[in-house]
Amino acid sequence: MRGKRRWHKGVCAGTILLLSAALRAQIPAPELERFDTEASSRAGTLSSVLKTEAGRYVADGGAILLAPLHWGSGSWTQAVLVAASIVILSEEDKSLDVAFARNRSRRTDSVSAAVTPLGSYAGIGVSAVSLGAGLLFKNAELRDTGRDAVEAEIFAAGIVTPILKRTVGRLRPAQGSDADEYRPLSNDQSFPSGHSTEAFAVASVFAARSRGWVVPVVAYALASGVGLARMNDRAHFASDVVAGAFIGTAIGHSVVRRHAPDGEKSLSWNLVPVPVRRGAGMGIRLEIGGP
């Protein structure tokens, strides 16, 4: 049993260290940052447009993957602290699952059913509608927001999270898991939460590309609701949800950062103490602003 818990902690720590690269991808991509009418006219055909998009995805994926090579001591320290916070949270997974199960009701199930789609088809739909409306009405902000959201979803929820799910092979709470049961390379896919990854990937892009506080607050509140819903339904443990949220947010912010003109947006993040019932925990604060 202890060996399994050590495996869990090691995987969590290594995973979050690598995924922190998304927050530190500093290589700009000015040649791929716009999908405007001028580029479309040069492309001329659907195949050319798809080729341009593929090039953008390759450049962005490579930059995120290689970002740790450019980290300084501060970045590594923050990454280690983030990994440690996930590992510490995993120690409370069982007790939190019991608490959610005890307080589950028809009302919480109704709320869960309403918000859960935002971590799957509804989240994809929001991104597609934003992209389509931007192209239709020639609104660059809507278009680029939708475009970045789709890319973040593909990287975070379509590639990174599925690979981790398969690799870790964690059993879900509803399968009777005691929070420390794993079958690596199996079809058990509790860690990390795919719905949370999807919801936070979309929320982080919309928040980063918005002005003011209303959109970020609403976006992150809905994404948090998705994570809580997955815990209410006993589909995931708390650390699964938080890991998914971190993956989605990290990659979403990284995608936006790479496509923003130099100096227009800067990304900063740090850890802040969060008081909890039995002591204190760690939270992640991300900020995007002007120079």
Side-chain angles (χ1 to χ4, degrees):
M1 190 69 70
R2 291 182 179 178
K4 290 181 178 179
R5 294 184 72 85
R6 285 196 293 270
W7 157 256
H8 173 44
K9 293 178 181 179
V11 170
C12 285
T15 294
I16 302 304
L17 277 170
L18 291 176
L19 291 172
S20 296
L23 286 172
R24 297 294 167 176
Q26 301 293 326
I27 307 172
E31 72 281 3
L32 296 173
E33 69 188 13
R34 299 292 183 187
F35 186 40
D36 52 21
T37 53
E38 182 180 356
S40 297
S41 63
R42 287 198 302 269
T45 65
L46 177 61
S47 61
S48 297
V49 171
L50 293 176
K51 183 177 180 180
T52 299
E53 287 297 282
R56 163 180 155 131
Y57 278 50
V58 169
D60 290 350
I64 292 172
L65 181 64
L66 298 177
L69 298 178
H70 307 282
W71 285 4
S73 59
S75 298
W76 280 109
T77 298
Q78 288 180 322
V80 169
L81 289 175
V82 169
S85 69
I86 298 293
V87 172
I88 292 171
L89 177 61
S90 70
E91 297 295 327
E92 300 297 325
D93 276 343
K94 183 60 180 179
S95 60
L96 288 171
D97 177 53
V98 170
F100 268 82
R102 183 173 58 247
N103 292 286
R104 188 174 182 178
S105 66
R106 289 184 178 180
R107 179 173 296 180
T108 62
D109 285 348
S110 296
V111 174
S112 175
V115 300
T116 296
L118 292 172
S120 55
Y121 64 86
I124 297 172
V126 169
S127 305
V129 167
S130 177
L131 174 58
L135 291 172
L136 180 62
F137 297 108
K138 301 186 185 304
N139 185 310
E141 291 186 5
L142 274 178
R143 178 199 64 206
D144 291 344
T145 298
R147 189 187 186 200
D148 284 354
V150 169
E151 181 178 346
E153 290 170 279
I154 291 174
F155 279 135
I159 299 176
V160 174
T161 292
I163 291 175
L164 290 174
K165 281 177 173 289
R166 183 75 175 180
T167 301
V168 176
R170 188 183 199 185
L171 276 67
R172 298 178 186 272
Q175 293 177 279
S177 173
D178 289 327
D180 57 1
E181 297 180 39
Y182 304 88
R183 297 171 184 166
L185 304 180
S186 70
N187 290 323
D188 298 307
Q189 301 185 356
S190 186
F191 181 89
S193 167
H195 280 74
S196 294
T197 303
E198 170 81 21
F200 276 89
V202 176
S204 62
V205 170
F206 276 80
R209 283 197 168 274
S210 66
R211 295 183 178 86
W213 59 270
V214 176
V215 172
V217 168
V218 172
Y220 282 121
L222 290 173
S224 298
V226 172
L228 293 173
R230 300 304 283 164
M231 294 174 65
N232 174 80
D233 297 343
R234 302 200 70 218
H236 290 287
F237 292 104
S239 61
D240 302 334
V241 168
V242 172
F246 180 79
I247 294 168
T249 301
I251 292 179
H253 275 289
S254 181
V255 169
V256 172
R257 169 122 175 75
R258 279 186 50 78
H259 302 152
D262 290 345
E264 181 177 300
K265 287 184 172 70
S266 59
L267 172 65
S268 63
W269 65 286
N270 52 41
L271 295 175
V272 294
V274 177
V276 296
R277 186 177 62 181
R278 297 182 180 178
M282 300 298 291
I284 304 172
R285 181 172 64 196
L286 301 113
E287 298 176 351
I288 284 191

